[in-house]
Amino acid sequence: MEHKKAEKISKALADPNRIMIIKEVKKQNDALYCCDIDAIIDLSQPSICHHLKQLTDTEILIPEKEGRYVKYALNNSLIEEYIDFLHSLKTT
Amino acid sequence: MEHKKAEKISKALADPNRIMIIKEVKKQNDALYCCDIDAIIDLSQPSICHHLKQLTDTEILIPEKEGRYVKYALNNSLIEEYIDFLHSLKTT
DNA sequence: TAGAAATATTTAAATATTTCGATAAATAAG
DNA sequence: CTTATTTATCGAAATATTTAAATATTTCTA
């Protein structure tokens, strides 16, 4: 992974609300809906939308449209690539 | 790892200059000096100092004073803990 | 001890991010 | 077709981050 990409993923993970959202995706087993987040995070709907956009722009979350709803799944392989990048930084 | 801690590590990694610094620590085999960075990164001395502070505050880098100099080493075990946290986010 | 060199701190400006209210767009339900 | 519901976008305010000049601190060397 390019370090520019790793930087962007790091930035997307650098917020407590976005980490909460990712945790919730896991809890809901890759089937998190936008409106579920309202119940969990004390932010306005536009703010939640903004955080989701950062997570989907970086492809950490993969959105899938289902009628009026959007379902989010975690991009496990991207996380793996990011982990590989972190391993590559380590000294031996 | 607490997610507050993971958030802080993410934030510290969310900058191209700081990633460059970490890469340079690896290149120099855990023996990076402050003044070496001047040669690599086009930033003022106070800015470099500020970035190093973020990396040491989060304990990503471990500073060791050597007379007038400060030598930096990567905290490999913290990176491992951060990687474990990332694994824990993954869906199965 | 005085001067030089390396690193740290303070302060302020520029830029970026976060947040929310208002509003728009898309689709479902009646 | 009209209305309600879900998600997205715009615009503006509040907050945080990045940067560098000026200055301070620490320690080496002559």
Side-chain angles (χ1 to χ4, degrees), chain B residues 21-33:
Chain B
I21 289 171
I22 293 172
K23 285 195 169 201
E24 202 59 26
V25 169
K26 182 191 166 72
K27 196 179 285 178
Q28 301 291 330
N29 225 49
D30 279 339
L32 186 73
Y33 294 88

Side-chain angles (χ1 to χ4, degrees), chain A residues 48-61:
Chain A
I48 289 170
C49 204
H50 161 82
H51 288 302
L52 283 168
K53 186 160 164 41
Q54 290 192 57
L55 291 170
T56 55
D57 282 353
T58 49
E59 300 181 276
I60 292 171
L61 293 185

Side-chain angles (χ1 to χ4, degrees), chain A residues 4 17-18 35 52 57 72 76 88:
Chain A
K4 192 74 197 163
N17 296 305
R18 291 194 291 270
C35 47
L52 283 168
D57 282 353
Y72 294 92
N76 283 294
S88 81

